[in-house]
Amino acid sequence: MTPKPASPGDHRIRRHFLPDLCQSQPVFLLVLVAELVALLLSITATGLQHFSWDVLAITSFYVQWIVLVCAMLLCRLRNWLAGFSLTASACFCYGLVLLATVLLSLLGQWFMHWLARMATGGAVGALFPVIDYWQLGENLLIAAILSGIVLRYFYLQQQLNDQQQGALEARIQALQSRIRPHFLFNSMNSIASLIATDPERAERVVEDLSELYRASLAEPALTALSRELDLCRHYLDIEQLRLGSRLRVNWQIEVDPATTGIPGLLLQPLLENAIFHGIEPLPDGGEIRVRITRKARQIQLALTNPVAIRPGNLRDNTRHNRMAVANIHHRLQAHYGDQARMSTVIDHDSYTTLISWPDTPPPL
């Protein structure tokens, strides 16, 4: 039986409904559940009034060995099983647990018989024990019921995680793809005006625009900071056609862009927001300052843009900025949870966005 090969880039095929039993936490939980099962079986066998610690010790010995051996086997086979269909993988896991239960039950009967012979100097019983089929059937039935429940729980948990992951990716994708329509219209107008006077530059603008929209349609994931900076420069090159010397950008990159990870299209919307609300309303334009540093295993970004000081303008800019900031904040929370931080500082003539996220390397 050969597992079905996964298509390149399809990460969902390689996922398995079983937890990673090579990790200590899921194994500890299995051991805890197994001990509770052993306690329940012991109480059922002797009754609470005549509870026997000896019966609990023997039952725990059987149950824990079955659980630990099955966990070890499934740990080794998990990646291999991920290549099979869900039905085949679940049936294999279920059969493996039952087979291990039968073999370990037979080994346990032989071990107990051997202990009895050793205690009597070999005077009692034959060399090989008579198989207790009733006990074997009882162990097999218990294992069939409990393993079925546990495997079903793992399957439902994985289905829930997949649904949550799918919804999360869709949400990130929706947030990531929000490049303002006015930017597209302005870019098309700039291209149209350049076709007759400077066709080579118009071609470069088309290439810059295609790079931006290709990135907005890509899978939501971490990317290298160097890639994000390239996209930002494509964007700024397009905006420079309209704004000319009114748009100035001061870059202060104090980290290695090639080895620093950043959520895709995180910086470009901040620049777009800064230009739309900060540079465009000012007759003389202004300077956008972008500083990226590393501190205490966190990447810190500070982006500052000027704001026009007119009655009501700062209040309006603040309201619109909050919409863009909320968009980016949701994406950071989706990627990093509470490990990411975002805040804004509003001065009388400047607006600063501060962001920090865990220092994680980009995917290869």
Side-chain angles (χ1 to χ4, degrees):
M1 187 174 183
T2 305
K4 180 182 179 181
S7 60
D10 189 355
H11 65 282
R12 292 181 181 87
I13 292 179
R14 303 306 304 171
R15 298 182 67 179
H16 198 271
F17 72 94
L18 284 177
D20 187 0
L21 296 176
C22 297
Q23 302 294 325
S24 58
Q25 183 176 2
V27 173
F28 172 76
L29 292 176
L30 280 179
V31 169
L32 181 61
V33 171
E35 191 60 32
L36 292 176
V37 170
L39 179 61
L40 178 62
L41 293 175
S42 300
I43 293 175
T44 303
T46 62
L48 188 59
Q49 183 178 359
H50 304 289
F51 179 78
S52 171
W53 289 101
D54 292 337
V55 173
L56 176 61
I58 295 173
T59 306
S60 297
F61 177 80
Y62 273 116
V63 173
Q64 294 291 0
W65 268 108
I66 291 173
V67 168
L68 291 174
V69 169
C70 290
M72 181 190 68
L73 293 174
L74 293 176
C75 162
R76 299 296 182 183
L77 296 174
R78 184 172 182 266
N79 291 334
W80 177 72
L81 287 171
F84 292 92
S85 67
L86 178 61
T87 301
S89 178
C91 291
F92 183 90
C93 294
Y94 192 61
L96 182 66
V97 172
L98 297 183
L99 178 62
T101 300
V102 171
L103 294 178
L104 291 174
S105 295
L106 291 174
L107 184 62
Q109 290 186 18
W110 178 85
F111 180 69
M112 296 302 295
H113 179 77
W114 178 79
L115 286 179
R117 282 178 55 83
M118 291 293 294
T120 59
V124 176
L127 181 61
F128 296 100
V130 177
I131 297 176
D132 187 346
Y133 289 102
W134 285 106
Q135 184 187 20
L136 184 63
E138 179 182 333
N139 293 345
L140 189 61
L141 181 61
I142 293 172
I145 295 173
L146 292 179
S147 61
I149 294 174
V150 171
L151 290 175
R152 178 63 176 173
Y153 167 76
F154 287 153
Y155 169 76
L156 293 177
Q157 186 182 51
Q158 185 60 53
Q159 290 294 101
L160 178 60
N161 289 338
D162 286 343
Q163 291 175 3
Q164 292 175 341
Q165 185 68 25
L168 179 61
E169 290 181 1
R171 180 184 175 194
I172 296 176
Q173 185 74 33
L175 293 170
Q176 177 174 294
S177 61
R178 291 181 185 173
I179 296 179
R180 291 189 181 95
H182 89 277
F183 167 67
L184 175 61
F185 299 144
N186 290 336
S187 301
M188 298 305 293
N189 289 332
S190 299
I191 293 170
S193 65
L194 286 172
I195 289 176
T197 59
D198 194 346
E200 291 185 1
R201 193 173 185 184
E203 183 179 353
R204 289 197 300 270
V205 175
V206 171
E207 292 174 353
D208 291 338
L209 190 61
S210 65
E211 284 293 326
L212 281 170
Y213 276 88
R214 185 180 296 112
S216 71
L217 296 174
E219 288 291 330
L222 294 180
T223 186
L225 178 60
S226 56
R227 168 66 175 163
E228 184 73 6
L229 293 176
D230 287 340
L231 289 173
C232 290
R233 292 188 178 102
H234 287 306
Y235 168 73
L236 292 172
D237 287 344
I238 296 174
E239 292 287 38
Q240 202 86 50
L241 293 174
R242 295 189 306 110
L243 301 172
S245 61
R246 294 173 58 205
L247 172 60
R248 300 179 297 277
V249 181
N250 181 0
W251 296 98
Q252 300 176 32
I253 310 300
E254 301 176 13
V255 297
D256 182 3
T259 60
T260 302
I262 184 174
L265 278 183
L266 177 74
L267 183 54
Q268 185 273 333
L270 286 175
L271 287 171
E272 186 175 356
N273 196 58
I275 291 173
F276 184 72
H277 297 292
I279 303 300
E280 285 187 8
L282 295 171
D284 297 328
E287 181 181 80
I288 299 174
R289 296 189 301 274
V290 181
R291 187 184 184 198
I292 302 178
T293 59
R294 178 184 288 106
K295 183 178 181 182
R297 297 183 180 179
Q298 291 272 320
I299 302 299
Q300 298 182 339
L301 182 151
L303 188 146
T304 302
N305 61 271
V307 293
I309 306 176
R310 292 197 299 268
N313 186 73
L314 183 59
R315 182 177 64 254
D316 294 339
N317 270 333
T318 301
R319 183 178 68 252
H320 291 296
N321 280 343
R322 284 201 189 102
M323 294 172 62
V325 167
N327 182 340
I328 296 170
H329 178 72
H330 290 325
R331 291 184 55 210
L332 285 170
Q333 292 296 308
H335 278 288
Y336 297 109
D338 294 336
Q339 293 181 299
R341 296 286 186 272
M342 186 170 186
S343 60
T344 58
V345 177
I346 304 172
D347 246 337
H348 69 285
D349 60 351
S350 67
Y351 185 95
T352 301
T353 303
L354 303 171
I355 301 177
S356 67
W357 65 90
D359 182 10
T360 52
L364 299 177

